[in-house]
């Protein structure tokens, strides 16, 4: 919960949004930066829907708060 409500994480999501917004594939770049891999088909569909509804910054915030980003496997 600390990450979800962190001003630092929100600021990083905004900074990431500024970095990727001019890319030809900002969703793909976001996944590459956070997970070091491209999004799977279903992830891309969900990400596109989230970006349409809530904006790119929300997607960046979600990725930075995801279990895949926070925990090592």
């Amino acid at each position: 919960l600390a990450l979800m409500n962190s001003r630092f994480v929100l600021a990083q999501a905004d900074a990431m949004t500024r970095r990727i917004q001019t890319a030809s594939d900002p969703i793909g770049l976001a996944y590459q930066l956070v997970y070091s891999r491209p999004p799977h088909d279903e992830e891309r569909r969900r990400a596109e829907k989230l970006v349409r509804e809530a904006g790119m910054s929300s997607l960046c915030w979600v990725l930075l708060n995801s279990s895949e980003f926070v925990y090592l496997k």
Side-chain angles (χ1 to χ4, degrees):
L1 291 174
L3 282 176
M4 292 177 73
N5 297 313
S6 169
R7 286 186 213 182
F8 176 76
V9 174
L10 289 170
Q12 294 309 303
D14 289 339
M16 187 172 144
T17 299
R18 287 189 301 276
R19 178 177 177 184
I20 67 173
Q21 66 188 359
T22 58
S24 60
D25 179 14
I27 291 173
L29 181 55
Y31 272 79
Q32 195 64 45
L33 290 172
V34 175
Y35 298 146
S36 296
R37 65 168 178 81
H40 303 299
D41 292 339
E42 181 62 23
E43 289 173 328
R44 180 173 291 279
R45 282 190 290 277
R46 289 180 180 187
E48 289 169 348
K49 181 179 180 192
L50 178 62
V51 169
R52 277 193 310 273
E53 294 175 357
M56 184 59 72
S57 187
S58 291
L59 173 63
C60 293
W61 177 83
V62 166
L63 294 176
L64 292 173
N65 279 281
S66 67
S67 294
E68 186 174 345
F69 178 70
V70 175
Y71 298 105
L72 293 174
K73 290 183 179 183

